[in-house]
């Protein structure tokens, strides 16, 4: 079965099509203003016309960077298990202002929640891993686990400390 995907409409010679194209993007998911601007520009929209459409969408509250930031923080925390630092980086890459990023993180993702998430991820991984009795294989398994968590943006010291705590807890059982 093949998907018959239509090519995206070139917006370079159709400024009247920029607004409907932006609405079509927003119908699929929420966007940051700068992210949507980049999408439209990549399809050939003129920067001036694109700016006008973005302003119009902001006035109509179809675009709202604060709402977007809150939703993205919540989604990345709950469904992707990402750290605060990695989420902050992602939001910066999407062109959000630092003040909006900070507000969203304070509202949706406290340091305590990050620690609890790290512990929950570690517990799940340790249950799944079935750590080997062979010391070398066990070290490799734990190193792999640490790399995965570091890839999610958790600080190395926090990962190491939480892992040591959980391993000691397992040994006591």
């Amino acid at each position: 079965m093949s998907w018959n995907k239509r090519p995206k409409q070139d917006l370079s010679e159709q400024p009247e099509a920029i607004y409907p194209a932006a609405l079509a993007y927003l119908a699929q998911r929420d966007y940051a203003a700068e992210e949507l601007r980049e999408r439209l520009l990549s399809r050939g929209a003129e920067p001036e016309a694109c700016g006008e459409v973005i302003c119009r969408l902001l006035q109509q509250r179809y675009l709202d960077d604060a709402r977007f930031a809150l939703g993205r923080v919540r989604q990345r925390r709950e469904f992707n298990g990402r750290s605060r630092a990695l989420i902050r980086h992602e939001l910066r890459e999407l062109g959000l202002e630092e003040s909006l990023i900070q507000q969203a993180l304070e509202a949706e993702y406290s340091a305590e929640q990050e620690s609890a998430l790290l512990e929950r991820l570690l517990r799940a991984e340790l249950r799944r891993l079935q750590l080997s009795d062979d010391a070398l294989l066990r070290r490799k398994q734990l190193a792999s686990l640490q790399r995965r968590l570091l890839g999610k943006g958790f600080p190395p010291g926090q990962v190491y400390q939480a892992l040591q705590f959980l391993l000691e807890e397992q040994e006591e059982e």
Side-chain angles (χ1 to χ4, degrees):
M1 180 175 163
S2 70
W3 293 95
N4 190 6
K5 220 173 177 186
R6 285 187 345 213
K8 298 229 190 260
Q9 177 184 19
D10 182 17
L11 300 173
S12 61
E13 296 183 20
Q14 298 177 338
E16 70 280 354
I18 296 173
Y19 184 74
L23 289 177
Y25 280 124
L26 290 170
Q28 295 170 12
R29 69 171 178 91
D30 214 3
Y31 279 83
E34 192 57 35
E35 180 187 20
L36 183 59
R37 179 187 320 277
E38 291 299 318
R39 283 274 175 131
L40 295 171
L41 289 173
S42 73
R43 288 185 49 194
E46 293 295 323
E48 189 175 305
C50 187
E52 291 171 8
V53 167
I54 296 296
C55 285
R56 181 177 171 191
L57 291 168
L58 286 167
Q59 288 171 348
Q60 294 171 326
R61 307 238 343 124
Y62 291 145
L63 267 181
D64 184 342
D65 282 347
R67 181 184 66 221
F68 172 80
L70 286 169
R72 181 59 64 102
V73 167
R74 202 174 312 122
Q75 187 260 339
R76 292 294 196 232
R77 181 194 71 216
E78 291 300 319
F79 301 111
N80 300 104
R82 303 252 168 91
S83 71
R84 291 168 46 95
L86 189 56
I87 294 171
R88 179 184 304 278
H89 176 74
E90 288 177 357
L91 293 176
R92 280 185 189 139
E93 290 291 310
L94 292 172
L96 292 176
E97 294 177 14
E98 189 62 37
S99 61
L100 287 177
I101 296 170
Q102 188 59 36
Q103 288 172 2
L105 286 171
E106 287 174 4
E108 290 293 331
Y109 200 2
S110 67
E112 293 79 25
Q113 287 174 309
E114 183 177 52
S115 294
L117 173 62
L118 175 60
E119 184 178 329
R120 191 175 79 224
L121 291 171
L122 273 170
R123 284 185 190 282
E125 286 291 326
L126 287 173
R127 274 194 308 273
R128 186 186 66 76
L129 265 181
Q130 300 295 322
L131 290 175
S132 174
D133 290 331
D134 177 27
L136 181 61
L137 182 57
R138 182 183 175 96
R139 271 200 313 270
K140 286 182 179 182
Q141 288 175 319
L142 292 174
S144 174
L145 171 58
Q146 287 176 319
R147 282 191 302 275
R148 280 196 304 279
L149 292 169
L150 293 174
K152 290 181 176 274
F154 292 100
Q158 190 178 1
V159 170
Y160 181 77
Q161 188 177 26
L163 184 57
Q164 290 305 312
F165 175 77
L166 291 176
L167 290 174
E168 288 172 9
E169 189 178 83
Q170 270 188 348
E171 288 175 5
E172 290 175 4
E173 290 177 358

